[in-house]
Structure formats: structure tokens, C-alpha cells
Amino acid sequence: MEKASVIFLAFLQRNGMVAVVILAVFAVRALLRKCPKKYSYALWAIVGIRMLFDLPIASGWSLFNLFRLVKSRSQMSEIAHYTGVSGVHAQTAVQNVTQISAGSRVTGDAASEAGLTGAMTTSQKICAVLFFVWLFLFLGYGMYSYIKCRSMVRTAVRLTVNETSGNVRRTIKIWECDCIPSPFVLGIFCPQIYIPFRMKEEEQQYILAHESWHIRRHDPLWKLIAFVLLAVYWWNPLAWIAFFYMTRDMEMSCDEAVLAQFGNQIKKGYSASLLAFAMERHPYSFAPVAFGEADAGRRIKNVLNFKKPHTWVAAIATVLVALVAVSCLTNQKPSETKTEHTTEKVDSTQQPVQENAGAAIIEQNIREWAQAFCDRDTEKIVQMTSKEVQSNLEKIHILWMDGDTPSFG
């Protein structure tokens, strides 16, 4: 039970990073809308890797460096607001807090792990139980879809491929069945193609090429992994949206591969086939182990507008995908002060003192400021405040700047 709760909380804590990566992929995907869909399809692999792993690689190109910059500025403005000290004093306090927190990073991680294993609340345990119940039901639906598809094709007949059909790999098994409305691929490790009876020979040629591309790229396996990740990150609405667009990019990229293979002359017939298949009901459209022709409207539009990209467009798109991979799969780069303190050996007897030192510095500044007010220590007040704060104190007649001898009170 405790291990299950820890797994649930680990995925819950990683949810924020996953959401940021999905939004970044959507932004870059919008820039690539005129490019072939294979580049957009490649972007979803970045999301999947971030969902599965937290790679221990830091770089200055990481997208998450922006959050550290925003957090640092927020800390500085907060200290300046509550203490009234000048910007230089506030920046010094933030640096001290950052250094001390970096020195006690190991202790913080250990405390976090202890909190996950030893301080589980009742609500967290209940959420963990519901999470695994949902996971079981969701994956159970996938198994039900697979069994249903198998029952539909139990009367299928093996198709004999002509020797001249070089576009279809000989190792792929192709079956004809009268119980299915449109072609689809079934299976993960040994995928097979199922097509309806009485398809025209020309239509059959490029439809089989489309399904063969799915198998060559191992799309059934990638879709199964995406389906399982969707079951794990079910509470994140962005994960559902990402799954939908990943499936669309998968299909469109296969359509474009077929057009590149056979030429633009098949656009009309290919679009007519997609439209005909879209009129039928698809009982297997959401199954992770079988998928066929879906979202026909946008796919037909993409087929009719497809043009082979120029070399320079392909190069820019490739570089852009690589930059997104580097920025989203790497963590924020540690600061110099953080590196110095993490390389030092920290004495275990001093760790509790260092953990509270950051708050102690801020509290000390506040106490000094309050004590200076109580003692009417004009010199101390002027030293700790900025010109703007001094001007505000003069306006409310608390501080008088009479030459070189200011007075207070």
C-alpha cells in the first residue's frame, strides 16, 4: 500500500513538468503546421520520454531555467516589500538563502523521501487506491477492445499478394474480412493488416502501403505506450489532448509517406477512400492494439494540400525539433553557488542549522529594521533604506533630511 502511494505521488509531482512540456510542444507544433506531419509526430516522443523518465541531465538550454529566474525575482521583490530594505540588501539576502539551500540539498531530498514514505495522509492513500482502480479499469477496457477486435476477424481469410506488389513487405500478414468496415492494423509485436473484402486493386495497393508504414515505424507499439501513459496521467487534461493530436499526426504522416511513394496522382482516389471509410462505424477506433482510418475530414484536407518540402525547410524543421528535445528533456542548470556547495562535504551535525539559516537571515533583517525604528537610530535607518523609501518617509513626516544630519521621529 505504501509503495503504491509513493508511486502515485511521484507521478503527481512530475505532472507539472509534463504539462509544461506539452504546452511547449503545442507551441512548436503550431510553427510546423506547414511542414510534413512527421516532424510534429516526432515532437510527441519528447512528451513520452518526459512522462516516463526524469533524465539527470542539466543544461543552459533547459526550458525550466525560466522558472528559476522568475522564482529568484519573486523572492527578491518579496523580501524588499516586507522588510523595506534597498535592492542591494534584498539581492544579498536572496543570494545567502540560495547558497544555504544549495548546501542542504541532500538533506531536503532525504526529508522529501521520508515525507513520501512515512508521512502519507489518509487522503493521499485514498487517492492512490482510486488511481490504481482507475488504471485497472482503463487498461481492462483496452483488453476488452482487443478481444472484441479478435472476435470480429475470426472469419478472416489470408490474402495472396501478387509478386509485383513490391510496396508490401512479404513478412506482413494480410487478411480479408467481411465483418470490418475499414482497414486497420491489429497486434503489437506481430501486427497484421485486416482489410474489407472486394476492395479495388488500385485502392488496395495504397491502403496496404499506408498500413505497412504503420508497421514499419512500430506505430502499434508507440500507441500502446501512449495509451498506458494516458491511463497514468488521466487527471491531466493536456494528456488527453496530446493523445488525440499524437494519433492524428501519426495517421497524417503515414498518408504523406504514401503520397511520397506513389506520387500526387493518387490524391483523388486516396481521398475518396478515406471519405468512404469515414462513413462507417469504427468500434475499434480507441483501442490501443488496433487502429484504422479516423478523422477523415482533416486528413483529406492534408492529403490534398500536401507538397514535398524543400531541403532547407526540412533542415530547419529538424533543427527545431532537436532544440525542443534539448530544452524539454534537460533539467535546469545549477547556479555557480549551488555547484560550489554541493561539491563540499556537509557535516551532518550542521545540516539542521543550515536548513533554518535562510529564514534566520530574513528574520534578522526584519528585527534590525524594527529595532532601528524603536531606538530612532537615524543612521541605521538611512543605511538600510533606499532613496525611494527615504523619500516616502519624508512625505509622511517621519524622516527629515536636514543637511548631513538627518533626524527621525
Side-chain angles (χ1 to χ4, degrees):
M1 178 61 190
E2 292 293 337
K3 291 183 179 180
S5 302
V6 170
I7 294 173
F8 168 70
L9 289 181
F11 279 109
L12 191 63
Q13 291 173 350
R14 196 181 298 174
N15 186 61
M17 286 188 176
V18 171
V20 172
V21 173
I22 292 176
L23 291 175
V25 166
F26 273 121
V28 178
R29 186 178 177 275
L31 297 177
L32 297 175
R33 64 184 183 275
K34 298 293 185 180
C35 298
K37 297 303 179 183
K38 63 181 180 180
Y39 300 106
S40 299
Y41 182 43
L43 289 174
W44 297 116
I46 301 172
V47 177
I49 294 174
R50 175 55 79 172
M51 284 180 166
L52 285 170
F53 308 105
D54 186 11
L55 301 178
I57 303 174
S59 71
W61 292 85
S62 176
L63 176 66
F64 302 100
N65 287 325
L66 299 176
F67 295 93
R68 184 179 61 188
L69 179 61
V70 173
K71 183 178 180 181
S72 177
R73 291 182 177 179
S74 176
Q75 286 178 335
M76 187 181 301
S77 61
E78 183 177 356
I79 293 175
H81 174 73
Y82 284 105
T83 62
V85 297
S86 62
V88 177
H89 287 83
Q91 185 175 6
T92 303
V94 170
Q95 291 175 352
N96 292 333
V97 172
T98 305
Q99 292 174 358
I100 293 171
S101 62
S104 59
R105 180 184 179 185
V106 177
T107 305
D109 293 342
S112 176
E113 292 178 2
L116 285 176
T117 57
M120 299 292 296
T121 63
T122 303
S123 60
Q124 289 173 340
K125 293 180 179 180
I126 293 175
C127 289
V129 172
L130 295 177
F131 166 71
F132 281 96
V133 170
W134 158 261
L135 188 62
F136 174 78
L137 294 175
F138 198 78
L139 297 180
Y141 167 75
M143 292 302 299
Y144 167 76
S145 301
Y146 175 78
I147 296 173
K148 186 176 181 179
C149 287
R150 279 297 181 190
S151 64
M152 289 174 55
V153 297
R154 64 181 181 271
T155 58
V157 179
R158 182 75 177 270
L159 175 66
T160 301
V161 182
N162 296 330
E163 294 295 333
T164 57
S165 299
N167 61 301
V168 179
R169 295 169 60 179
R170 301 297 297 178
T171 56
I172 301 176
K173 294 183 179 180
I174 305 171
W175 302 81
E176 287 184 311
C177 184
D178 58 354
C179 299
I180 59 176
S182 65
F184 65 90
V185 176
L186 180 62
I188 301 299
F189 301 105
C190 296
Q192 303 178 34
I193 301 175
Y194 292 85
I195 62 175
F197 270 116
R198 295 175 296 277
M199 288 183 64
K200 296 179 181 179
E201 183 177 354
E202 182 182 1
E203 181 184 33
Q204 183 184 102
Q205 188 179 24
Y206 47 74
I207 291 299
L208 289 178
H210 174 97
E211 305 301 339
S212 297
W213 271 106
H214 279 308
I215 296 176
R216 294 173 191 176
R217 300 189 316 185
H218 305 287
D219 285 344
L221 178 61
W222 305 139
K223 187 176 181 182
L224 176 63
I225 295 174
F227 186 84
V228 174
L229 290 175
L230 179 63
V232 173
Y233 289 90
W234 62 270
W235 63 83
N236 190 341
L238 292 176
W240 293 84
I241 300 174
F243 181 83
F244 171 78
Y245 279 97
M246 184 216 72
T247 306
R248 174 189 290 179
D249 292 339
M250 177 190 297
E251 294 294 338
M252 288 185 177
S253 60
C254 276
D255 294 336
E256 294 171 351
V258 174
L259 293 177
Q261 179 179 346
F262 288 93
N264 293 332
Q265 64 272 13
I266 70 167
K267 282 187 175 181
K268 184 177 179 180
Y270 194 80
S271 300
S273 298
L274 291 177
L275 182 60
F277 295 145
M279 302 299 292
E280 303 290 345
R281 185 180 177 184
H282 297 270
Y284 46 78
S285 59
F286 194 62
V289 292
F291 53 98
E293 317 310 320
D295 198 11
R298 292 184 180 275
R299 289 178 60 189
I300 291 173
K301 183 178 179 180
N302 184 67
V303 166
L304 296 176
N305 295 332
F306 174 74
K307 295 180 181 179
K308 189 174 181 180
H310 297 287
T311 304
W312 64 271
V313 174
I316 293 176
T318 303
V319 171
L320 189 57
V321 172
L323 290 177
V324 175
V326 172
S327 62
C328 292
L329 296 180
T330 57
N331 299 324
Q332 62 179 357
K333 187 176 181 180
S335 59
E336 295 180 0
T337 56
K338 185 174 181 179
T339 305
E340 293 174 359
H341 283 269
T342 51
T343 55
E344 296 176 359
K345 186 176 292 184
V346 181
D347 189 0
S348 60
T349 58
Q350 298 178 354
Q351 287 178 353
V353 178
Q354 290 181 344
E355 289 177 2
N356 299 324
I361 292 174
I362 299 176
E363 184 179 355
Q364 181 182 357
N365 288 334
I366 297 175
R367 288 182 180 276
E368 290 181 5
W369 174 249
Q371 190 63 39
F373 260 76
C374 294
D375 297 340
R376 297 192 176 188
D377 188 349
T378 308
E379 182 179 353
K380 185 71 173 179
I381 293 173
V382 173
Q383 180 183 358
M384 294 184 67
T385 55
S386 62
K387 296 295 183 181
E388 182 181 359
V389 175
Q390 293 174 16
S391 177
N392 292 335
L393 293 177
E394 286 187 72
K395 291 179 181 179
I396 59 178
H397 306 293
I398 293 181
L399 184 66
W400 284 270
M401 303 297 292
D402 187 8
D404 295 334
T405 57
S407 59
F408 176 80

